Amino acid sequence: MTAQADDIALVMSLEMGKPVAEAKGEVTYGAEFLRWFSEEAVRIHGRWMHNPAGGSRLLTVRKPVGPCLFITPWNFPLAMGTRKIGPAIATGCTMVVKPAALTPLTMLYLARLLAEAGLPDGVLNIVTTSDSGGLSSTLQADPRLRKVSFTGSTGVGRRIVEQSAGQPAAGVHGAWAAMRPSWCSPTPTSTRPWTAR
């Protein structure tokens, strides 16, 4: 990815207007997510610990949550993608990525690079659409989906939470409107998310 930073930065700049120098910075930033999560993958084995009561030991095992849906924003089309894709690859999850309708080319370029690097077919699936709401509601209704991660506006985030209510996904998490982290329970009792402030 870093070897093709100039080309990726040019695509990003042409598709969304970010200055090329800034886009190159995003390539470096995005590549760092992939590097960091690849290094964390070797530490995913879990661990033993003593029970707080002292009478036994506990084993923590980390395993894939299952198929994930990642929805990325237009303003950081590469870095927010690698921030979601990196941990999914490291933990063995398959994923569907729906890039912003304004910036699909950057994500398609990344997918091509990951395929060239050896990522197996079917692990990363990019879906572009001009009907984001229709696509995300269809995908969220799929019983195989286990996690939804979203970065974008508060309005769209609320719709995603509403669509996920009563669906089989393990949960929704994301950052809405100026990086305000939000978390929603795996089985929401309300469509109003808790938001950290």
Side-chain angles (χ1 to χ4, degrees):
M1 190 163 120
T2 54
Q4 295 188 34
D6 290 339
D7 293 339
I8 299 168
L10 181 60
V11 168
M12 195 183 313
S13 180
L14 290 172
E15 111 175 302
M16 54 89 71
K18 186 175 281 195
V20 173
E22 206 173 304
K24 281 182 78 171
E26 183 174 340
V27 173
T28 301
Y29 179 55
E32 187 61 19
F33 283 123
L34 295 178
R35 186 199 62 77
W36 193 84
F37 286 113
S38 68
E39 291 181 4
E40 286 301 304
V42 299
R43 289 180 264 291
I44 204 161
H45 50 75
R47 64 185 177 131
W48 287 97
M49 65 185 112
H50 292 286
N51 182 327
S56 61
R57 291 175 25 171
L58 303 173
L59 172 63
T60 303
V61 179
R62 293 178 174 92
K63 61 182 185 176
V65 296
C68 302
L69 169 61
F70 300 146
I71 300 170
T72 60
W74 68 271
N75 56 342
F76 287 93
L78 184 79
M80 292 302 100
T82 59
R83 189 176 195 172
K84 296 171 187 315
I85 292 167
I89 292 171
T91 57
C93 295
T94 58
M95 65 212 96
V96 174
V97 178
K98 205 257 354 125
L102 297 174
T103 55
L105 299 178
T106 302
M107 186 57 63
L108 291 167
Y109 199 125
L110 174 62
R112 191 191 88 207
L113 290 176
L114 291 171
E116 289 172 1
L119 189 67
D121 290 344
V123 173
L124 174 61
N125 306 280
I126 310 298
V127 182
T128 63
T129 183
S130 58
D131 181 16
S132 296
L135 177 68
S136 63
S137 65
T138 299
L139 292 173
Q140 285 181 263
D142 190 312
R144 296 170 292 183
L145 186 67
R146 291 291 170 252
K147 189 61 133 180
V148 177
S149 178
F150 165 78
T151 304
S153 71
T154 301
V156 174
R158 284 187 179 136
R159 280 197 307 268
I160 289 169
V161 170
E162 289 168 0
Q163 290 170 349
S164 71
Q167 298 300 331
V172 175
H173 74 273
W176 306 351
M179 298 303 288
R180 288 176 38 206
S182 301
W183 176 83
C184 301
S185 71
T187 52
T189 55
S190 154
T191 57
R192 184 173 176 202
W194 172 85
T195 303
R197 294 186 187 215

